[in-house]
Structure formats: C-alpha cells, structure tokens
Amino acid sequence: MTKDEIYSELKNVLVKSFMVDESAISLDAGLYTDLDFDSIDAIDLAAKIHSVTGKQLKPEQFKEVRTIGDAVNVVDELMRNG
C-alpha cells in the first residue's frame, strides 16, 4: 500500500465512519484541532485502521498522531515494518 492509497483509505474512513466533511480532510488537518476528534474517536480510528490493514497499532504509535499526515506515516510504517 502506498502513502497515497493509505491517505485515500483514511479519507474514506473519516467520511463514512466519522461523518467528517471531505473538504476538511488534508494531510495537514489536525485530528483534534480541525476535525474535532476526542480520545474515543482516536481509539475508534485506530480500530478502523486495524480492520483495514489487519495490523494492530500500538498505543505509543498512535499517541504521537496529531494530523492526517501523521496517521498516514504511522500506517505506512506499520505496513512496512509490521
């Protein structure tokens, strides 16, 4: 999976599962500041990532995620390094 594919998949998840307006989604968009995520939403997103990738994110990996771009990078690393 390329970073573009990861971004596209995350975008789909955010729109369908979290009712985020697609126009608000960009690599620089902050999960907490721009998309109004809370800690429960972050946990739900980590679970959605697991269901899409089949890989489990460790809490310490996801703790540093602040933007969509951060999420793409974490998923990319997870896919490459397992």
Side-chain angles (χ1 to χ4, degrees), residues 1 3-18 25 27 31 45-46 48-49 52 62 67-75:
M1 212 178 215
K3 283 190 175 188
D4 286 339
E5 291 169 329
I6 293 167
Y7 175 65
S8 179
E9 196 62 45
L10 278 174
K11 216 160 126 172
N12 287 336
V13 167
L14 291 168
V15 170
K16 291 178 182 171
S17 299
F18 296 93
I25 301 170
L27 289 172
L31 292 173
L45 181 57
K48 293 282 184 193
I49 289 170
V52 169
F62 207 75
T67 67
I68 300 297
D70 293 341
V72 169
N73 290 334
V74 165
V75 173

Side-chain angles (χ1 to χ4, degrees), residues 7-62:
Y7 175 65
S8 179
E9 196 62 45
L10 278 174
K11 216 160 126 172
N12 287 336
V13 167
L14 291 168
V15 170
K16 291 178 182 171
S17 299
F18 296 93
M19 308 309 168
V20 173
D21 184 349
E22 189 171 352
S23 66
I25 301 170
S26 71
L27 289 172
D28 295 328
L31 292 173
Y32 304 98
T33 56
D34 299 321
L35 305 180
D36 294 325
F37 265 49
D38 59 24
S39 57
I40 300 298
D41 291 328
I43 291 167
D44 289 346
L45 181 57
K48 293 282 184 193
I49 289 170
H50 174 71
S51 69
V52 169
T53 65
K55 307 265 185 178
Q56 185 70 44
L57 280 171
K58 295 180 178 92
E60 61 271 11
Q61 287 175 300
F62 207 75

